Amino acid sequence: MRVGVIGGGQLARMMVPPAIELGIELRVLAEVEGSAAGIAATAVGDYRDAATVVAFARDVDVVTFDHEHVPQPVLAELAAAGIPIRPGPAALAVAQDKLYMRERLAALGAPVPAWAAVHDASELGDFLAAHGGAGVVKTPRGGYDGKGVRVVRAADGADDWFAGIDEHASGGALLVEELVDFRRELAQLAARRPSGDVAAWPLVESIQRDGVCAEVVAPAPGGEALTDAARDLATTIAAGLEVTGVLAVELFETADGRLLVNELAMRPHNTGHWTIEGAVTSQFEQHLRAVLDLPLGDPAPRALWSVMVNVLGGPAGETMPDRYPIALAGEPAAKFHAYGKESRPGRKVGHVTVTGDNLDDARSRARAAAGFFQN
Ligand code: ADP
């Protein structure tokens, strides 16, 4: 069995160990030489070029993704060549455009923040006036890790984005949402195979700093009351959008205890890295199973608590292994994951996971372990 992964980042890299265990051949189409996933059989080429992508995909059984940015015309050529694509182009279209995502979620009856498509400062001003004078403006396309997301409190707060609107917006509009008064951010991950089976991991809490995921706690502390609702929501969305593979549903828990969907990702997700050690079946193994339409594995946790802390940055030019003599000795219970990237302040170069019976202990160990790399 051969799986082709488009994109050579850390998500493709972390599919390699379960592919080896299961005896699945993994091939990666990376953008550059020396990518994070370069440890797999790697071709280098532009994912926006249909001929390159079709040539790469010719001898794999299924194509899947490390990111959601492959353009629809390229996906259409892949489909025309008879190559199975999972998740499929229609599902990916939802993940590629935040305005379309809002439309489809609303149509499925999923709870979402109040939102509107706005074409100019005057429409933005009208929305702000109707929603307490503040809002969050988002570029529908191309944003990640908080880039393309801005809190605005005045009608002219997104003028620069309106000026460049063709680059990052569909239909000449930006997305504006109410500024949600949230208690915390949660994530519900599930995997769905083409035949329809869905397996969901426990609801987790994600702690964001400067728009970037910093820590994940699994399961979400005190989240029992929300567990069923979150699982049902992810199952409804996965089925309604016919997602195949891992679906991540990023959620807000509002100050008054409701769940609202912030974003969807249709691939393994940072909030699921804890599953490598913390669940019977990791998100990377489950993604491979799901896209190959194999029976799904048990998503049950293997520990009471798992805490994942991202390694963000560190001195330029270093790599995580440079500091292993000290870090590995300092926290022997921590599991270290390095993405084969050079450090740069703020860049996600790896993560650390600690599991155990005591949340405070696991959290402080995971933070200490990640801290060895950070300055
Ligand atoms: P990205 O695609 O860059 O991850 P998101 O849409 O997930 O962007 O937004 C990034 C972060 O901005 C979120 O994790 C959240 O902390 C904050 N945010 C996004 N939308 C809202 C909103 N409507 N209200 C309040 N905070 C928001």
Side-chain angles (χ1 to χ4, degrees):
M1 282 180 193
R2 277 192 204 134
V3 176
V5 185
I6 300 185
Q10 62 259 27
L11 302 177
R13 180 185 179 95
M14 286 186 272
M15 292 177 201
V16 174
I20 291 171
E21 288 161 12
L22 290 168
I24 293 165
E25 199 182 320
L26 206 64
R27 298 205 181 162
V28 174
L29 179 65
E31 295 91 84
V32 290
E33 297 283 355
S35 67
I39 50 172
T42 305
V44 174
D46 187 352
Y47 62 81
R48 292 162 299 191
D49 180 64
T52 302
V53 173
V54 171
F56 163 77
R58 278 257 176 255
D59 52 358
V60 300
D61 297 308
V62 60
V63 166
T64 189
F65 307 92
D66 160 280
H67 59 72
E68 290 121 341
H69 308 312
V70 180
Q72 287 290 331
V74 174
L75 297 173
E77 291 218 19
L78 267 181
I83 297 157
I85 310 165
R86 294 181 183 144
L92 276 171
V94 181
Q96 288 176 334
D97 187 304
K98 289 180 179 180
L99 263 176
Y100 184 47
M101 187 187 296
R102 284 280 171 257
E103 277 168 33
R104 293 297 305 273
L105 285 171
L108 286 172
V112 294
W115 64 277
V118 288
H119 298 82
D120 53 39
S122 140
E123 288 182 10
L124 176 57
D126 292 346
F127 183 91
L128 297 180
H131 294 89
V136 179
V137 176
K138 301 184 178 182
T139 55
R141 292 172 171 272
Y144 65 98
D145 281 352
K147 295 174 184 66
V149 174
R150 183 189 292 172
V151 175
V152 292
R153 297 181 190 278
D156 63 2
D159 279 355
D160 51 334
W161 285 355
F162 282 122
I165 203 147
D166 292 337
E167 286 164 44
H168 45 236
S170 50
L174 298 175
L175 169 63
V176 60
E177 298 174 355
E178 67 177 299
L179 180 61
V180 176
D181 178 17
F182 60 81
R183 191 184 285 162
R184 56 182 179 165
E185 295 189 62
L186 303 168
Q188 176 66 57
L189 270 62
R192 181 176 175 278
R193 62 186 284 204
S195 54
D197 283 351
V198 175
W201 288 275
L203 179 66
V204 303
E205 176 172 358
S206 76
I207 296 138
Q208 316 274 321
R209 281 190 208 112
D210 303 326
V212 181
C213 174
E215 279 181 35
V216 173
V217 178
E224 295 80 8
L226 301 169
T227 300
D228 290 350
R231 197 190 310 109
D232 291 351
L233 193 53
T235 306
T236 304
I237 293 169
L241 301 179
E242 295 189 55
V243 179
T244 43
V246 172
L247 168 71
V249 184
E250 296 179 16
L251 297 159
F252 298 126
E253 182 185 3
T254 62
D256 56 1
R258 290 170 302 132
L259 289 178
L260 297 177
V261 178
N262 174 31
E263 264 218 289
L264 306 178
M266 295 180 194
R267 51 173 168 73
H269 192 252
N270 199 167
T271 59
H273 291 355
W274 67 275
T275 59
I276 296 173
E277 291 86 10
V280 176
T281 309
S282 79
Q283 63 166 346
F284 300 101
E285 175 175 346
Q286 199 77 299
H287 189 72
L288 294 175
R289 289 182 184 226
V291 300
L292 285 164
D293 201 15
L294 293 169
L296 299 178
D298 184 353
R302 298 204 301 185
L304 280 182
W305 298 104
S306 298
V307 179
M308 190 278 331
V309 178
N310 276 333
V311 177
L312 292 169
E318 275 199 12
T319 65
M320 275 180 71
D322 293 336
R323 300 224 179 161
Y324 280 168
I326 290 168
L328 274 57
E331 287 297 340
K335 304 303 286 183
F336 295 85
H337 297 261
Y339 304 156
K341 298 179 172 178
E342 280 197 1
S343 294
R344 230 190 291 129
R347 187 183 200 196
K348 268 186 210 170
V349 295
H351 75 268
V352 174
T353 299
V354 176
T355 61
D357 293 345
N358 181 296
L359 173 56
D360 290 337
D361 181 62
R363 184 165 18 215
S364 59
R365 282 176 190 277
R367 285 182 184 169
F372 283 113
F373 305 99
Q374 266 155 351
N375 44 53

